[in-house]
Amino acid sequence: MPVPPSPLPLSTVVTRLRAAGCVFAEDEARLILSTARTPAELTSMVDRRVHGLPLEHVLGWAEFRGRRITVDPGVFVPRRRTEFLVDQALALAAPGAVVVDLCCGSGALGAALAAELDGVELYASDIDPAAVRCARSNVAAAGGRVYEGDLYDPLPAGLAGRVDLLLANVPYVPTREIALLPPEARLHEARVALDGGADGLDVLRRVTAGAARWLAPGGRLLFETSERQADRAVATVAGDGLLPRTVTSEELYATVVIGTKEGAVP
């Protein structure tokens, strides 16, 4: 239940958030007021936001495709632009698809796909223990299984050659550009979820190198990248034996590369 307005009225919360540089102070204030369960929690939440903690970490959840995704402190916050990747996956998927969400973070991609497509057989993995804990809570309703480890390493061996959709929201920020990220990401999200190596494609190369082994005939690998990295990402996909294509959304400023394994679609 929302807390009574007396401890910190909306106007006071808005003023504090605005003074701290929050551009959408009124919207954030309403979300915090509606989420806090006690006056003490409300005060604590406002203090944490004022001191720079991402709003989603303050609330304990992020909105993704109209759903609340649990996001604990330190865990990568799913971005709205990544909803475009889910759109592309849904356009390609059939009910009962076998889906793997690599670098799953909070599990937002797999959870959204499973909620919007019947009978999904969902698996996910991440190397960050905090992310794995979040993902397990977020995909529980879909019966998804989440594994802790490096990319494909923890996945059940029996999945090899069976995966219809391989979603991989890999980190793609070049190491030298981490320092240029907004403080909310740079200081409060796990570096392993952001740092893509010297050119931003290190993790992607490892994903594409193993993709053909795990994909079913006609299966697809989908991942997000930046517009300026897209040509190199496409070349990487093609070099590892998949047929690549790129789709973009100007509205969301999103670029998704889709790599298809040759063969009849199941």
Side-chain angles (χ1 to χ4, degrees):
M1 294 178 59
V3 297
S6 53
L8 283 178
L10 174 64
S11 60
T12 301
V13 177
V14 170
T15 299
R16 290 196 62 194
L17 295 180
R18 189 170 287 139
C22 298
V23 176
F24 303 104
E26 290 191 7
D27 292 339
E28 292 192 12
R30 289 189 177 93
L31 285 170
I32 290 172
L33 282 161
S34 66
T35 301
R37 294 164 294 186
T38 67
E41 186 175 42
L42 171 59
T43 300
S44 174
M45 290 173 73
V46 173
D47 287 344
R48 284 180 284 154
R49 182 61 181 133
V50 164
H51 286 92
L53 196 69
L55 176 66
E56 294 83 1
H57 291 160
V58 171
L59 298 174
W61 54 269
E63 184 176 333
F64 189 77
R65 295 184 68 85
R67 303 176 190 283
R68 289 190 176 188
I69 299 294
T70 298
V71 182
D72 290 338
V75 175
F76 182 81
V77 175
R79 278 37 169 186
R80 181 167 178 258
R81 65 173 176 268
T82 308
E83 295 181 359
F84 183 63
L85 191 155
V86 178
D87 287 336
Q88 304 312 305
L90 284 167
L92 297 169
V98 177
V99 177
V100 169
D101 184 0
L102 288 184
C103 303
C104 69
S106 64
L109 275 68
L113 192 69
E116 298 179 49
L117 186 68
D118 291 338
V120 167
E121 186 180 333
L122 176 61
Y123 304 84
S125 75
D126 201 285
I127 200 168
D128 178 14
V132 168
R133 287 193 294 272
C134 275
R136 284 178 175 151
S137 67
N138 286 321
V139 306
R145 282 160 277 188
V146 185
Y147 301 88
E148 182 181 331
D150 187 25
L151 298 180
Y152 303 104
D153 288 352
L155 295 177
L159 275 178
R162 293 187 55 232
V163 179
D164 301 308
L165 290 176
L166 178 57
L167 313 179
N169 195 17
V170 298
Y172 57 87
V173 180
T175 302
R176 67 183 179 279
E177 296 180 16
I178 295 291
L180 305 178
L181 292 174
E184 290 183 352
R186 186 178 73 249
L187 301 178
H188 298 288
E189 293 179 327
R191 182 160 181 139
V192 70
L194 303 170
D195 193 340
D199 66 352
L201 300 178
D202 282 0
V203 181
L204 173 64
R205 292 188 186 95
R206 296 177 56 221
V207 169
T208 62
R213 173 176 173 246
W214 292 88
L215 288 172
R220 279 98 169 194
L221 163 68
L222 297 91
F223 61 89
E224 183 179 283
T225 190
S226 70
E227 184 179 8
R228 63 190 172 89
Q229 292 168 316
D231 288 346
R232 284 175 292 157
V234 164
T236 299
V237 171
D240 285 317
L242 303 179
L243 303 176
R245 63 184 177 93
T246 303
V247 288
T248 61
S249 167
E250 292 185 5
E251 177 189 358
L252 295 176
Y253 196 60
T255 300
V256 169
V257 177
I258 302 171
T260 301
K261 180 178 176 178
E262 292 186 286
V265 178

